[in-house]
Amino acid sequence: MTQKKSIVTALLLASSLLLFTACEDKPAPAGGTAGSTPEAQSSSTPGAASGTAATGTNGSTDGSNGSTGAATSNTPAGDKSAASGSGTGSDKGKTGADSAKGGAEQVVANPESVTVLVNKQYSLPSSYEPKDLVYPNVPFTFKEQIEKRKMRKEAAQALEKLFAGAKKDGIFLAGVSAYRSHATQTSVYNNYVKKDGEEKARTYSAVPGHSEHETGLAIDVSGSDGKCAAEDCFGSTKEASWLAKHASEYGFIIRYLKGKESITGYQYEPWHIRYVGTEIAKEITAKGITLEEYLNAVPVSK
């Protein structure tokens, strides 16, 4: 019996040795090495590579899939940002201003605010349209009851008072261009680009979505004769002089001041007035500053 057990044991040992040798001679799996662990092999699998690629796409800065690129960012500036126009007094715009200084374009959080900041960095939502547009009862350089006669109700009422005040002082004003829809601003801007090229056009005309005219709070004005309307020569007229001295009494500011081009991003426009409310308008005018400076949101990109 002992001898039979020894024979069986020997046979089992021999079989095990043959099996072990056969396993050692098998070729390594494709993409790995003999004896490599699953963890080591996974680093070279297609799944791992595609995961890396996905991270790169979603976190890209070229505007695709959640881009954080400066030129395409739509991140609102915050409830008290300069863009939103919310908050009160000198605290307006303090939150979110630093991100604006970085040059990133942002969509305003509160387009309905009368102090909303719209410039080359801050844009209105593409679908925005003021809900309270009316026709101010003032003369224009044209007779038609069309879009560019309209302003938001509060601004329109203030404009009527401004025109009446000017008339008492012997100054007769006329409206040139007030509200513009997004579609209209697109057409205006494209026409200027065709005329002067994009680089020059951007010094005096806003990219669609970035025009104050789209807020319904801004208007270009001239003398009642329409001479020098929206032209540099308007700056030397008695109408321009009166506006510079008295517009703030009615809640308006000269939006694009001479010598402030690097801040506003636009050339001097003595004919472009913007409604912000009487208190703020008087403070901005007294200090000789821009809306950007008042809201602590400077500089803008040129």
Side-chain angles (χ1 to χ4, degrees):
M1 179 66 75
T2 301
Q3 185 177 6
K4 287 182 179 180
K5 285 183 179 181
S6 298
I7 293 172
V8 170
T9 300
L11 289 172
L12 289 173
L13 286 173
S15 298
S16 299
L17 182 60
L18 288 171
L19 287 172
F20 179 78
T21 301
C23 289
E24 285 293 290
D25 290 339
K26 287 181 68 175
T33 58
S36 63
T37 63
E39 292 79 10
Q41 292 180 24
S42 66
S43 64
S44 61
T45 61
S50 62
T52 302
T55 301
T57 302
N58 292 333
S60 69
T61 57
D62 64 357
S64 60
N65 297 334
S67 164
T68 56
T72 56
S73 173
N74 289 329
T75 306
D79 292 339
K80 281 192 174 183
S81 71
S84 72
S86 58
T88 57
S90 60
D91 286 337
K92 288 187 183 73
K94 296 298 178 67
T95 303
D98 289 340
S99 62
K101 291 176 183 178
E105 178 184 315
Q106 302 205 24
V107 176
V108 298
N110 185 8
E112 295 292 337
S113 172
V114 295
T115 57
V116 64
L117 179 61
V118 177
N119 58 18
K120 290 186 177 181
Q121 284 178 298
Y122 288 108
S123 71
L124 292 165
S126 60
S127 60
Y128 177 69
E129 181 180 340
K131 303 299 181 185
D132 57 348
L133 292 170
V134 298
Y135 292 105
N137 185 23
V138 300
F140 275 75
T141 56
F142 52 89
K143 299 297 184 181
E144 298 82 4
Q145 291 288 97
I146 54 178
E147 177 186 273
K148 65 179 182 178
R149 290 184 77 108
K150 294 181 178 181
M151 294 189 77
R152 288 185 56 188
K153 186 176 182 179
E154 183 178 342
Q157 292 173 342
L159 186 74
E160 291 171 356
K161 293 177 181 178
L162 182 148
F163 272 49
K167 188 175 182 179
K168 287 181 180 180
D169 291 341
I171 301 296
F172 299 92
L173 300 171
V176 176
S177 180
Y179 172 69
R180 295 177 198 155
S181 65
H182 188 84
T184 297
Q185 183 61 30
T186 299
S187 178
V188 168
Y189 178 74
N190 287 342
N191 286 336
Y192 283 134
V193 169
K194 290 178 181 178
K195 176 178 177 288
D196 292 326
E198 185 170 9
E199 184 176 356
K200 184 176 180 180
R202 286 176 65 91
T203 67
Y204 63 83
S205 182
V207 172
H210 293 263
S211 172
E212 283 204 326
H213 287 280
E214 294 177 65
T215 69
L217 299 170
I219 182 172
D220 296 334
V221 298
S222 73
S224 59
D225 57 8
K227 291 182 179 179
C228 293
E231 295 181 6
D232 292 343
C233 58
F234 180 74
S236 60
T237 65
K238 59 184 179 180
E239 290 85 2
S241 179
W242 188 91
L243 285 170
K245 293 177 181 177
H246 300 286
S248 64
E249 299 168 15
Y250 304 91
F252 290 88
I253 59 173
I254 306 299
R255 182 65 178 89
Y256 306 118
L257 296 173
K258 183 179 291 186
K260 298 287 188 176
E261 293 85 354
S262 63
I263 295 174
T264 64
Y266 296 103
Q267 65 183 38
Y268 173 48
E269 292 189 0
W271 59 83
H272 181 106
I273 59 176
R274 158 68 193 274
Y275 182 75
V276 293
T278 305
E279 182 181 349
I280 295 173
K282 287 181 176 180
E283 183 178 348
I284 287 175
T285 301
K287 292 180 178 179
I289 60 176
T290 64
L291 185 58
E292 282 84 2
E293 290 170 297
Y294 176 75
L295 295 172
N296 193 26
V298 294
V300 296
S301 56
K302 295 182 181 180

